[in-house]
Amino acid sequence: MFVIIGWVVVLGCVFGVFVAHGGNMGPILKALPWEMAMIGGATLGAFIVNNQMVVIKSTMAGVGMCFKGSKYTKDRYMELLALMFDILQKARKEGLMSIEKDVEDPHSSPLFQKYPTVGNDHHVTEFITDYLRMMVSGNLNAHEIESLMDSEIETHHQEAHAPVGAIQRIAGGLPAFGIVAAVLGVVKTMGSVGQPPAVLGAMIGSALVGTFLGILLAYAFAEPLAGLLEQKLEESAKELQCIKTTLLASMQGYAPQVAIEFGRKVLLSTVRPTFGELEAHVKKK
């Protein structure tokens, strides 16, 4: 919703002020379909050439994410930390081997299904169960697991930011494609130098629409989308860091209620539950 509102503000201010200042929208509207087809087609072709298919698909999915609200809310994090508490509490009371079945099949585990918001999230459950499995095996110490977690989070970061880079490259290329459209418009104008000044002026104005569109699309549409998508992807990495911090605190001997406090502290202040809110939620569950 805010993306659309932002775009409406941009278009309203740009064209509204232009018209209010005496500008004529006629030449712009006349040239718009052809200039958009040229710039959009060139951008699409360059985008396909510049990216592997997996990046193209993830970019399309990422653009869709920009028009949705964030799923990383305070309620989700309270569910996540409550799940971590239950798992660690069971392991502490009954031993690590008691959570082996939960780890091997989280989709039928009462612990994971008690918290469907995160328990049915494939990436979250996979990250949790992979490292719980290592803890159950007892072959790795906390420092080794921490190093492995950091490597996995870094890999996740690289994969997740590929769409951001793709959109940023689109933003960087759009002004150039706008210039290409403008140059071709000037070439067309130069072939009509015998026409009256009024006709030549309209043709030059239409040619300049290409440069205008390239710049507008780059800095009012593509670049802001890349920035918004980057912020959304940072939220997903923060969730993994919360899980990492909680598990490492448990491995270092802290009680479950203290371990989830470690995890709570790494969350962003806008979605971080207070100590009292988290304690009340865990007790309720």
Side-chain angles (χ1 to χ4, degrees):
M1 177 61 72
F2 285 104
V3 174
I4 297 174
I5 292 174
W7 284 347
V8 170
V9 171
V10 168
L11 295 176
C13 290
V14 171
F15 292 107
V17 173
F18 175 73
V19 172
H21 202 255
N24 181 10
M25 289 292 294
I28 295 177
L29 295 176
K30 183 178 180 181
L32 188 63
W34 301 106
E35 300 292 338
M36 283 294 292
M38 186 182 299
I39 296 171
T43 302
L44 177 61
F47 172 70
I48 293 173
V49 172
N50 196 43
N51 298 286
Q52 296 178 330
M53 184 53 65
V54 63
V55 177
I56 293 174
K57 291 180 179 179
S58 59
T59 302
M60 296 298 101
V63 170
M65 285 174 53
C66 292
F67 294 91
K68 299 177 182 178
S70 175
K71 68 178 183 179
Y72 299 101
T73 61
K74 180 185 292 188
D75 290 338
R76 178 184 175 90
Y77 282 122
M78 286 199 292
E79 289 284 292
L80 173 63
L81 291 169
L83 168 63
M84 299 298 296
F85 175 83
D86 278 2
I87 294 172
L88 297 177
Q89 185 78 338
K90 182 177 180 180
R92 187 180 181 89
K93 287 183 176 181
E94 304 174 24
L96 279 172
M97 295 304 295
S98 65
I99 63 172
E100 187 174 11
K101 290 183 179 180
D102 300 298
V103 169
E104 294 302 328
D105 190 8
H107 296 294
S108 60
S109 164
L111 280 180
F112 282 90
Q113 294 311 307
K114 184 179 176 182
Y115 306 96
T117 302
V118 291
N120 292 324
D121 189 310
H122 170 71
H123 296 291
V124 172
T125 56
E126 184 178 45
F127 189 82
I128 294 173
T129 55
D130 281 351
Y131 292 103
L132 286 174
R133 192 176 293 112
M134 294 180 189
M135 292 169 61
V136 170
S137 68
N139 294 328
L140 296 175
N141 60 40
H143 295 294
E144 292 170 328
I145 289 184
E146 180 179 13
S147 177
L148 189 57
M149 284 180 170
D150 288 337
S151 297
E152 182 172 352
I153 292 174
E154 178 62 26
T155 300
H156 168 80
H157 183 274
Q158 292 176 353
E159 291 179 346
H161 279 70
V164 175
I167 298 175
Q168 287 176 335
R169 289 190 292 273
I170 288 175
L174 277 168
F177 289 129
I179 293 173
V180 169
V183 170
L184 291 177
V186 171
V187 170
K188 178 184 176 182
T189 303
M190 296 302 292
S192 306
V193 290
Q195 298 292 328
V199 175
L200 290 176
M203 295 178 70
I204 293 173
S206 297
L208 292 176
V209 170
T211 302
F212 161 73
L213 282 178
I215 296 172
L216 181 67
L217 291 173
Y219 297 111
F221 290 81
E223 187 66 33
L225 270 186
L228 177 60
L229 181 57
E230 185 173 22
Q231 293 173 24
K232 287 182 173 291
L233 294 175
E234 290 294 340
E235 290 179 326
S236 65
K238 182 60 67 176
E239 185 175 50
L240 299 183
Q241 291 173 356
C242 174
I243 298 170
K244 165 195 163 183
T245 305
T246 303
L247 289 177
L248 289 176
S250 177
M251 290 189 70
Q252 291 168 356
Y254 290 99
Q257 59 266 35
V258 178
I260 63 171
E261 182 65 13
F262 275 68
R264 184 184 74 86
K265 285 296 187 181
V266 305
L267 297 176
L268 298 174
S269 60
T270 53
V271 293
R272 182 195 304 147
T274 64
F275 176 84
E277 288 174 333
L278 181 57
E279 184 180 36
H281 184 76
V282 169
K283 287 182 177 179
K284 179 181 176 181
K285 285 291 184 177

